[in-house]
Amino acid sequence: MEYFNYINGEWVPAASGKTFQNVNPADTSDVIGSFPLSGPEDVDRAVKVAEEAGEEWARTPAPIRGNIIRHAADIFLRRKKEIAQVMTREMGKPLFETEGDVQEAIDTGYYAATEGRRLFGMNTPSELPDKMNLSFRMPVGTAGIITAWNFPIAVPSWKIFPALVAGNAVVFKPSEDSPLCANLFAEVLEEAGLPKGVFNVVHGDGTTGAALVDHPGTKVIAFTGSTEVGKKIGGRCGELNKKCSLEMGGKNGMIVMEDANLDLALEGVLWGAFGTSGQRCTATSRLILHKDIHDQFVEMLIEAAKKLRLGNGLDPNTDVGPIINEAQLRKIEYYVQVGQEEGARLVLGGKRATEGDLAKGWFFEPTIFVDVTPEMRIFQEEIFGPVLSVAKAESYEHAIALINNSQYGLSSSIYTQDVNRAFRAMRDIEAGITYINGPTIGAEAHMPFGGIKNTGNGHREGGWTVFDIFTEWKTVYVDFSGRLQRAQIDVEIT
Ligand code: UN1
């Protein structure tokens, strides 16, 4: 099957005619299709179309824009199961997870739609008589959106829906590992009644994304992906003086204290570390265990993780799906080797899973390292796979020092039944998100999402905060005194 770019409401190939293939990671003989490998000329066309269509869109009342997004959320709801099937086939995670992914877009859509009737500005008193001060949000212009493959509907929706409600046009460059989901996104927006050209999809690789970042027509770039790529985009946007929001890597820690409910913590870490095969920016990749429960918990963890069923995500018995591609599988293998060389003790997994049907795809066994110390690379670097590094803490203070010993600061978690300790941890943990008695994954659409340190560049997606990315403030002073009034000069505040 041959799929295309979506520009100006039409399905078109790359100008060069070049394509790339996308396959099912659970069965690499199952070819999803070919997609355009777009170049700068395709990006240029899409951005120009977006700029033109965006003019009228920006003048469309925000409640009307929001209403179209509400329709889109309705369509995602109607097509939820069918889209989840496509997503599982395309990127592998089990059906219950892909249904959750679509649900996250539905939630985001319904929330963003209501912002069409808010997008609150603010009026404040003037320091001068007969004068009024107003401020309100304006669209930024055309948004260039670049996302990863692990949440191929949810994460694009976090950016696309608010960008549109705020009055921006969009050019979307999805991951080359989940292009079909992006085309479904375009179908949904078209059916919802979005005018032609306001939303466009340009497929391709890193050079396609770079052309979108570089294009003078894109006024804001929103990116989710690796810290390595994100920093390059951030640097380029700095040179171009372009607004830019980055959601990058994580090395999320979970602390289990000696007073924790261990069964609850066990369920949490299994879901946090091995859900989505550990391929989430929020995945639990470091487990910090208080010394008093360390050995017992490690034993419980190994027993439970052994029982996780690897398989094709379309099979309802599957707990853990495949790894997205061969390169990622090799990266995980590499880190397992690094961990062993560094002296960590491998207590579970550590290799590709190839029994029976698993040989058809890219599978990796749930993997656990213990005796991990903070200077080890497997404690510090994002692996993006089902690999959990376990470290031992002597005390609460030591656990906090360990969890904060990271260049990243996205998500975090602590299991404790001590209410004072829980509140201290909310304050002490350096991260954008902290869960108390829950794993590091499970963000909800209406709450700020993002991280500190090398995870982000100061922005938050989700809820109301995402509108700071996709709007600019306009400040207006209305003087109805009929004379020149000079701020700071005619009124002296002493
Ligand atoms: C991501 O991995 O990029 O909180 C996003 C979570 C999901 C979103 C993850 N709702 O794990």
Side-chain angles (χ1 to χ4, degrees), residues 104 148 150-151 154-155 158 224 247 276 279-283 384 410-411 433 435 440-444 449:
E104 208 163 328
N150 62 337
F151 279 80
V155 169
W158 292 0
T224 295
E247 287 297 344
T276 325
Q279 303 173 108
R280 294 194 188 210
C281 56
T282 50
F384 227 64
L410 180 54
S411 188
I433 306 169
Y435 290 86
T440 58
I441 68 178
E444 299 177 25
F449 180 95

Side-chain angles (χ1 to χ4, degrees), residues 476-488:
V476 179
Y477 299 98
V478 185
D479 193 321
F480 49 96
S481 69
R483 59 184 189 276
L484 172 68
Q485 301 198 85
R486 296 171 301 173
Q488 296 93 37

Side-chain angles (χ1 to χ4, degrees), residues 141-257:
T142 297
I145 291 179
I146 304 171
T147 57
W149 48 269
N150 62 337
F151 279 80
I153 295 287
V155 169
S157 83
W158 292 0
K159 303 175 196 302
I160 293 165
F161 285 158
L164 292 174
V165 168
N168 307 285
V170 169
V171 178
F172 175 31
K173 205 301 274 180
S175 164
E176 53 270 51
D177 285 311
S178 58
L180 186 50
C181 284
N183 283 14
L184 296 182
F185 214 119
E187 273 180 33
V188 166
L189 285 171
E190 183 173 297
E191 187 188 338
L194 191 73
K196 273 186 188 172
V198 174
F199 176 75
N200 307 276
V201 179
V202 180
H203 293 288
D205 58 14
T207 53
T208 321
L212 190 60
V213 172
D214 279 354
H215 199 291
T218 51
K219 303 298 182 205
V220 52
I221 300 294
F223 166 82
T224 295
S226 70
T227 298
E228 190 196 344
V229 174
K231 280 187 169 176
K232 278 190 199 145
I233 292 178
R236 189 69 185 129
C237 286
E239 277 166 18
L240 298 168
N241 193 26
K242 196 173 284 198
K243 215 167 180 233
C244 166
S245 152
L246 306 170
E247 287 297 344
M248 303 177 283
K251 190 75 184 177
N252 313 288
M254 175 194 286
I255 298 173
V256 182
M257 294 304 296

